[in-house]
Amino acid sequence: MHAGRMLAGRAVVLLSLAWSTHGSLAIPKIAECGLSCSQGFACKSRVNRNIFNSFCRPPPSSVPPSVLEALTLSTAMKCAPRDGCSLLLRVQASLVLHESLRGLEACSVNLDTQETQCQSVRVSRASGRRQVGWQLQVHFDCFEVTVAQSLYVTLRTVPHFCGVQLDQQYHVEDCRHEDVGRNVPVCFAGKFSYWADRSRKVILVQVPEVPGAPDYYVRLCLKWFTCNDVGVPVRVTGNRMSRTVSLPYSQELPCLCLEGWFATPDAVRMQACPFEDETEALWDAIRYHPGDRALSWEPACPVSGHVSLCWRPGPGALCHNLEHSGRPAHGRVQYPLVDTQPRLCLKFSTSRGSWVRCPFQEGHFQGAPVSPKEDVAACLPPRAPGHDPRPSLMAFVDIPTEEACVPNTCIQGWRTDVTFSAPHQLCDLHCTSTQGTED
């Protein structure tokens, strides 16, 4: 019997956890908005759309600041068969009734427009005298709100006593919420369709046709922290014959997005990014500055990853990272004092994979010309058995053949990024002439 009780208790806990995880996603629907008070109280409501009186009076010593006990906010839907659903803010508050109090007032301020809605509830004097010390619970659910609205809600006593209030910020669900996107007209009525014509480099947007709806805006933008305009937004008027808009673009970027919205205050903006999975164009934004020999890369879109210089011995070979060249791929990356060697490349690594770009091999940036009388010698220190398996450092030097190929001649090099660097040298080079004979 005891074990059965424990199992039952566990079942209740699991059920309550499941509801808190999934049930919180559902927005309750109500038939009519209104106000209700806890049983036994005679309440009257009053709606005031002007901003509440900001002046307060000192509270009596017998009124503690904790007389307002709780403020809870949530969203509700009121639905009509043909018109869809509208959103309402539900305010639940509790107050310990005091002989100096006549009720409480809740006000909601739209943080974007500063529009204010206030509702108050009053308890009759006779009822208030009998119920001093009782807990009064009030439910307001007639605050009209819109999708994705940011609100600031204040709960105060009536009369308004200084320092006796509760405040809370609230963000109304947007069209990504399943219930809102399916039931609120502004979400499904404002959706557009599109297709990309890559050969002409234009995106064709089909603007929604909603009878009686206001004009509609559509634009291209680059999405970083906000979406920044690419060109001028196009306004589609209600009497326009064609509902298709052609938006030209220059490059297929993952952060190039479409935005569409109705020409009304606080309109919800629909967004789509046609090329969001295409990152190839980002790795081509490489620049070389011959004056200071600086190699730089600056992505046109936000990227989360890593950049490094690497050395590719030959076409298709593995590109070996150069030590101390790693940089986070956030914004502009620059490497100073870079020589234009064909085997020097940039490697980009993200969660989706790695890409290598060799700008000097691809011929975009030209280096200093080499004299026909000079051969290029590649110096690679020999590797003994058990030697560090990491790739050795390479250097390219231009030395005349008649100097490098003389017996008892050595080429010596050392690292400048290490304080105590032992020099490496190659002696008695075996050189091959253009006729294929040994010197």
Side-chain angles (χ1 to χ4, degrees):
M1 184 69 178
H2 179 67
R5 288 178 180 176
M6 288 185 65
L7 289 174
R10 288 183 180 179
V12 170
V13 171
L14 290 174
L15 284 173
S16 65
L17 287 175
W19 172 251
S20 66
T21 303
H22 300 287
S24 61
L25 298 177
I27 295 179
K29 295 179 175 61
I30 59 175
E32 294 293 336
C33 71
L35 176 143
S36 61
C37 291
S38 49
Q39 191 173 3
F41 286 90
C43 296
K44 292 183 179 180
S45 63
R46 179 182 299 173
V47 176
N48 177 20
R49 290 189 176 271
N50 296 321
I51 192 166
F52 48 74
N53 185 5
S54 58
F55 297 104
C56 62
R57 66 179 73 174
S61 58
S62 58
V63 177
S66 59
V67 69
L68 290 176
E69 292 188 318
L71 172 63
T72 304
L73 308 176
S74 60
T75 307
M77 282 185 183
K78 181 182 176 184
C79 303
R82 294 183 179 179
D83 300 330
C85 300
S86 58
L87 298 180
L88 300 169
L89 175 68
R90 306 183 81 175
V91 179
Q92 300 181 36
S94 61
L95 164 74
V96 176
L97 203 60
H98 189 274
E99 59 184 6
S100 302
L101 301 179
R102 297 289 175 265
L104 51 80
E105 179 183 56
C107 290
S108 169
V109 181
N110 183 338
L111 294 179
D112 296 322
T113 65
Q114 299 302 307
E115 180 185 0
T116 303
Q117 300 179 62
C118 292
Q119 297 181 29
S120 62
V121 58
R122 305 214 174 207
V123 179
S124 66
R125 291 182 179 273
S127 176
R129 293 192 193 99
R130 294 193 308 269
Q131 295 164 316
V132 168
W134 290 26
Q135 184 188 62
L136 169 64
Q137 293 185 343
V138 180
H139 291 227
F140 304 94
D141 56 14
C142 285
F143 289 93
E144 298 175 357
V145 294
T146 57
V147 175
Q149 201 172 54
S150 294
L151 306 169
Y152 188 75
V153 179
T154 302
L155 184 68
R156 294 178 171 179
T157 58
V158 178
H160 177 199
F161 290 133
C162 301
V164 183
Q165 70 179 50
L166 296 176
D167 306 295
Q168 191 173 327
Q169 277 191 268
Y170 188 74
H171 190 75
V172 181
E173 292 82 352
D174 59 27
C175 291
R176 291 173 295 183
H177 189 282
E178 184 178 357
D179 279 357
V180 175
R182 186 175 59 246
N183 294 292
V184 178
V186 71
C187 290
F188 53 80
K191 289 182 179 177
F192 54 80
S193 58
Y194 68 90
W195 60 99
D197 187 339
R198 295 173 185 260
S199 61
R200 295 167 49 205
K201 282 191 174 295
V202 295
I203 299 177
L204 302 172
V205 185
Q206 182 70 34
V207 174
E209 186 172 4
V210 182
D215 294 349
Y216 195 86
Y217 280 106
V218 64
R219 70 165 182 165
L220 283 176
C221 57
L222 286 178
K223 187 175 182 180
W224 284 76
F225 297 107
T226 59
C227 218
N228 303 317
D229 274 326
V230 177
V232 180
V234 177
R235 183 166 185 158
V236 181
T237 58
N239 57 3
R240 178 170 169 162
M241 295 297 294
S242 173
R243 309 294 293 178
T244 302
V245 175
S246 178
L247 300 175
Y249 65 90
S250 59
Q251 199 173 14
E252 294 165 7
L253 296 170
C255 61
L256 182 67
C257 300
L258 292 163
E259 270 195 347
W261 69 97
F262 285 112
T264 57
D266 297 329
V268 177
R269 298 197 175 199
M270 302 296 163
Q271 194 175 88
C273 305
F275 314 114
E276 61 184 345
D277 294 326
E278 302 181 22
T279 61
E280 282 294 320
L282 298 180
W283 322 128
D284 295 328
I286 302 172
R287 302 288 181 269
Y288 183 71
H289 310 277
D292 52 6
R293 296 190 301 167
L295 186 67
S296 63
W297 170 75
E298 187 169 5
C301 297
V303 179
S304 178
H306 198 75
V307 185
S308 62
L309 290 173
C310 65
W311 192 266
R312 176 177 272 175
L318 182 67
C319 203
H320 304 288
N321 289 345
L322 299 187
E323 291 183 0
H324 312 300
S325 69
R327 304 284 188 275
H330 300 309
R332 191 167 187 258
V333 174
Q334 179 166 306
Y335 295 96
L337 301 176
V338 174
D339 286 329
T340 56
Q341 294 294 345
R343 297 180 184 180
L344 185 65
C345 308
L346 280 171
K347 181 187 286 186
F348 305 93
S349 302
T350 73
S351 59
R352 297 186 178 185
S354 296
W355 294 262
V356 174
R357 291 291 187 270
C358 303
F360 306 118
Q361 186 181 53
E362 294 163 2
H364 298 311
F365 312 112
Q366 299 299 325
V370 178
S371 170
K373 296 182 180 179
E374 296 175 337
D375 294 331
V376 178
C379 304
L380 181 62
R383 183 173 295 153
H387 191 271
D388 189 342
R390 293 176 298 179
S392 301
L393 294 178
M394 291 184 178
F396 277 79
V397 292
D398 299 329
I399 303 175
T401 303
E402 61 270 17
E403 296 181 13
C405 299
V406 176
N408 300 321
T409 298
C410 298
I411 298 176
Q412 189 178 70
W414 59 92
R415 293 178 58 173
T416 60
D417 60 337
V418 178
T419 304
F420 302 101
S421 174
H424 297 275
Q425 65 184 22
L426 293 175
C427 299
D428 296 330
L429 297 179
H430 296 281
C431 302
T432 303
S433 67
T434 55
Q435 286 80 21
T437 61
E438 289 191 0
D439 289 343

